[in-house]
Amino acid sequence: MSDGKAGAKVDEARLWRRHMDMAELGKTPKGGVRRLALTDLDADARGKLMAWGAERGFKSFIDPIGNFFVRREGTDPSLAPVMSGSHTDTQPSGGRFDGIYGVLAALEALEAIDDAGIGTRRALEAVVWTCEEGGARFPMGTMGSSVFAGTVKLADALELADFDGVTVAEAVERTRARVPAAVDRPLGMKVASFVEAHIEQGPELEARGKTIGVVTAIQGARRFLVEVLGEDGHAGTVTRARRRDAFVAATDITKALYRHFTDPDDVVRFTVGRFTVEPNAPAVIPGRVVFSIDFRHPDEAVLTRLGDAVEGVCQANRGPCEVKAVQTARSQPVPFSGLLPDLIQSAADRLGLSSMPILSGAGHDSIYLAKICPTAMIFVPCEKGISHNEIENATPYDLASGARVLAEVLVELANR
Ligand code: HGY
Ligand code: MN
Ligand code: MN
């Protein structure tokens, strides 16, 4: 039991400084961060983590998909470690806290436990999961965590390519070369438990004046790609009657989908985030449109009912064009209950931090860690709930408070 000693050693200024340091890796003119998965910027974020850990004598490891582990040894190396972490990659116009907070809070917790002179039976590891942000560079999200959990085969992930045709395998190799001091680690490692700290990416905690969110579940998600095929034509000569305009059909389809997914209590989250028109030339009637669907809900039955109707809605609104809707990903709702959320709650209470139970609208690597070990999440507020946006913001106090709770929980778990 740490009874507050580890939490008390969390250094708010050090944690904030490291966020600002990491934010330089991909800093955008509007003060956000563009650090796409497995780019040199993302590799250098691993390098920074390794250097900070090395100052403490923590060793760093990397696995075949680029997941990165900074390890503080326990007294019994034969025991599976307790892990904590998140992701260093961002959306194309991301913020300074999504993902990286969970990685830096984990390192900060290890350092605070070190500063408190607390030994633990199990080793503690701060983790970077590769490519959490699906679609930003590579087409698969939560890639590193789902490969680590054995849900996705390594070979299937390695052969994926970005928009320039660079494969994950090539990008991992390049990342590996930028952190030569890291030790190779095979997949398949046992984990005793996993805790992820993350900004809420929603407005609830701030609106209710709470510092800590004890996450009760992550809602489920279904993702699709829809391809609409018409016929390229001359903008000046083809009559409306003869056109097979893929843009007109795609916009009719998306409007119908927005109506389909509009629920009275505003729980459904439906987004068309990518919409590409080909050949994308002003004097050519578009012959092809491809758009994305991101649909989320906490109830599996609703995910099935509304998601299964996507194909029918597309076909009913295609006009003279052809349409094909392909599901590209599906994750079920993931509940968090039992010991780990209880430890988070009691640590927040012990530290005198206000807290509330909260559902995660966003997806996280914890979805996959929960398949292989006891897992839980700690949320802290972000300003106006804004995220996946360059103006994403959080306060040093809230970030440090989440790290204090994390440090307390990790001590408890690592001594079980
Ligand atoms: O989309 C998500 O929920 C996550 O932030 N990648
Ligand atoms: Mn994100
Ligand atoms: Mn995230």
Side-chain angles (χ1 to χ4, degrees):
M1 181 82 154
S2 152
D3 50 49
K5 282 203 298 293
K9 286 292 184 184
V10 164
D11 181 332
E12 179 178 311
R14 174 173 62 194
L15 182 58
W16 182 260
R17 206 173 41 246
R18 287 190 174 153
H19 276 87
M20 295 309 109
D21 205 344
M22 282 286 194
E24 292 301 314
L25 291 174
K27 185 173 191 164
T28 63
K30 288 189 205 165
V33 179
R34 177 188 176 84
R35 187 170 57 237
L36 299 185
L38 294 173
T39 54
D40 290 352
L41 292 169
D42 193 28
D44 293 351
R46 289 169 173 75
K48 275 187 185 294
L49 214 62
M50 178 162 67
W52 289 329
E55 288 165 18
R56 286 271 174 174
F58 300 163
K59 223 165 137 188
S60 287
F61 301 81
I62 188 166
D63 76 8
I65 193 69
N67 294 323
F68 202 79
F69 310 83
V70 179
R71 179 181 173 99
R72 179 182 188 257
E73 285 302 343
T75 52
D76 183 348
S78 70
L79 294 175
V82 171
M83 291 188 177
S84 177
S86 192
H87 57 96
T88 51
D89 65 304
T90 71
Q91 288 289 339
S93 52
R96 298 174 297 167
F97 304 98
D98 175 7
I100 194 68
Y101 169 58
V103 174
L104 292 177
L107 179 64
E108 181 59 37
L110 267 54
E111 297 210 56
I113 292 164
D114 225 33
D115 288 339
I118 296 173
T120 56
R121 289 180 60 229
R122 298 176 183 278
L124 289 164
E125 298 196 358
V127 183
V128 176
W129 299 117
T130 294
C131 190
E132 191 272 347
E133 301 286 12
R137 179 183 182 190
F138 295 107
M140 181 190 289
T142 51
M143 183 193 291
S145 50
S146 53
V147 167
F148 183 86
T151 309
V152 169
K153 287 197 189 70
L154 174 64
D156 293 347
L158 290 176
E159 68 184 20
L160 295 173
D162 67 9
F163 300 108
D164 301 324
V166 177
T167 64
V168 169
E170 290 161 338
V172 168
E173 201 180 321
R174 190 178 167 99
T175 293
R176 179 80 194 80
R178 282 180 86 89
V179 281
V183 176
D184 283 318
R185 172 186 276 182
L187 289 168
M189 180 166 185
K190 293 276 166 273
V191 186
S193 50
F194 177 74
V195 185
E196 180 171 6
H198 206 288
I199 54 169
E200 179 198 339
Q201 299 179 297
E204 297 307 319
L205 289 174
E206 184 185 60
R208 296 165 200 261
K210 303 292 184 188
T211 304
I212 300 296
V214 185
V215 181
T216 55
I218 299 176
Q219 69 177 344
R222 294 183 73 173
R223 295 181 177 92
F224 300 80
L225 269 185
V226 180
E227 181 184 38
V228 182
L229 290 176
E231 187 179 34
D232 288 13
H234 194 300
T237 59
V238 183
T239 63
R240 196 172 53 246
R242 286 180 34 238
R243 288 185 178 208
R244 294 180 58 233
D245 185 328
F247 177 80
V248 171
T251 46
D252 287 346
I253 290 168
T254 45
K255 286 306 275 176
L257 287 168
Y258 271 100
R259 285 193 296 275
H260 172 68
F261 282 105
T262 297
D263 58 336
D265 46 2
D266 193 3
V267 175
V268 167
R269 298 287 176 267
F270 173 77
T271 311
V272 173
R274 178 170 282 147
F275 192 99
T276 55
V277 179
E278 292 175 13
N280 204 24
V284 179
I285 301 164
R288 183 174 185 263
V289 166
V290 177
F291 65 85
S292 62
I293 290 177
D294 179 313
F295 159 44
R296 311 195 196 190
H297 197 278
D299 180 341
E300 184 66 10
V302 174
L303 285 163
T304 299
R305 178 170 54 81
L306 293 183
D308 287 0
V310 164
E311 174 69 26
V313 173
C314 291
Q315 294 303 339
N317 293 276
R318 63 183 173 81
C321 295
E322 300 305 317
V323 64
K324 194 169 66 179
V326 176
Q327 179 171 276
T328 54
R330 178 166 190 169
S331 58
Q332 294 182 324
V334 176
F336 299 124
S337 60
L339 173 69
L340 271 68
D342 290 352
L343 289 178
I344 293 170
Q345 184 62 62
S346 48
D349 297 344
R350 192 163 57 245
L351 294 168
L353 295 168
S354 60
S355 63
M356 62 180 271
I358 190 166
L359 168 76
S360 176
H364 301 284
D365 292 303
S366 289
I367 291 171
Y368 291 96
L369 274 296
K371 294 179 186 299
I372 59 169
C373 68
T375 296
M377 291 194 74
I378 301 166
F379 273 179
V380 295
C382 58
E383 196 174 323
K384 298 196 187 79
I386 295 172
S387 184
H388 283 192
N389 183 317
E390 292 169 280
I391 65 167
E392 179 185 272
N393 196 19
T395 69
Y397 173 79
D398 288 342
L399 299 176
S401 298
R404 295 186 201 289
V405 170
L406 180 63
E408 291 290 306
V409 171
L410 293 183
V411 169
E412 296 262 348
L413 292 172
N415 281 325
R416 283 176 180 265

